[in-house]
Amino acid sequence: QVQLVESGGGSVQAGGSLRLSCAASGNTYSIYCMAWFRQAPGKEREGVATLYTGAGNSNYADSVKGRFTISQDSAKNTLYLQMNSLRPEDSAMYYCAATDRLQQCLQLAIERYNSWGQGTQVTVSS
């Protein structure tokens, strides 16, 4: 089992920046990919960015390309999401996820992931 705890959410004005963190514990050696998903009120959860922890390959949703960066600190078992040029439509609960299944784990697909954090709220005002 892997436990994930997010932090770093908050309120920011449009154009601002935030950095989310996700601390992983437990069987972290079993993780192939980690990801950030988000869910706004009344909307489905959607993939934001994924990271293959071995080689560092990443994948981003079109809506965040060029603005968000996913990264990791392997020594600290921590995943990050640097969010720049934030927009009101980025407002959502952001969830960290991990998977011990390698197949297509870079896909921005909920069904690829089997460990989830509780989420951290991001609110962007115009």
Side-chain angles (χ1 to χ4, degrees):
Q1 289 289 340
V2 173
Q3 293 78 44
L4 303 171
V5 179
E6 304 97 333
S7 61
S11 297
V12 64
Q13 290 192 325
S17 298
L18 282 174
R19 188 177 81 156
L20 306 183
S21 299
C22 172
S25 60
N27 294 337
T28 57
Y29 62 87
S30 66
I31 296 173
Y32 281 107
C33 283
M34 296 188 75
W36 290 98
F37 288 78
R38 68 185 181 186
Q39 188 168 18
K43 295 188 176 181
E44 294 185 353
R45 191 170 298 189
E46 64 175 359
V48 175
T50 58
L51 178 75
Y52 175 44
T53 58
N57 310 58
S58 57
N59 185 30
Y60 295 91
D62 287 343
S63 59
V64 306
K65 281 181 182 176
R67 300 189 298 123
F68 291 11
T69 302
I70 190 171
S71 63
Q72 63 178 335
D73 184 331
S74 299
K76 296 181 179 179
N77 289 324
T78 300
L79 182 75
Y80 301 101
L81 185 68
Q82 178 66 43
M83 305 186 294
N84 298 328
S85 303
L86 282 161
R87 305 167 180 168
E89 54 264 37
D90 294 318
S91 297
M93 185 71 78
Y94 281 71
Y95 297 91
C96 176
T99 182
D100 57 3
R101 300 190 292 251
L102 176 61
Q103 186 177 7
Q104 297 179 311
C105 68
L106 277 174
Q107 284 187 346
L108 295 164
I110 295 172
E111 62 268 22
R112 298 297 179 193
Y113 287 81
N114 52 11
S115 294
W116 293 85
Q118 294 301 305
T120 186
Q121 179 68 40
V122 171
T123 302
V124 184
S125 58
S126 58

